[in-house]
Amino acid sequence: MGGVLPVLLLILAGVLAGGVLSLHRQGAPRGAVLVTAALAVLAAVAGGLWLLPGEGS
């Protein structure tokens, strides 16, 4: 499971980034776009950090 979770997080980040683009094109409220973008960045950072070597690996 350790190798699957970062991949899932990066996939989630990609889906959310696509959602940000779609929301922006549809003229959604700025708050919705910013929250979705923040979640996309958070998922991408979490997936990337999970792949770094550390004490738990």
Side-chain angles (χ1 to χ4, degrees), residues 52-57:
L52 291 176
E55 293 180 23
S57 43

Side-chain angles (χ1 to χ4, degrees), residues 16 20 31-45:
L16 287 171
V20 169
V33 175
L34 290 177
V35 167
T36 309
L39 290 174
V41 169
L42 186 63
V45 168

Side-chain angles (χ1 to χ4, degrees), residues 2 5-7 9-10 13 40-57:
L5 189 58
V7 173
L9 283 170
L10 292 172
V41 169
L42 186 63
V45 168
L49 288 177
W50 199 294
L51 292 173
L52 291 176
E55 293 180 23
S57 43

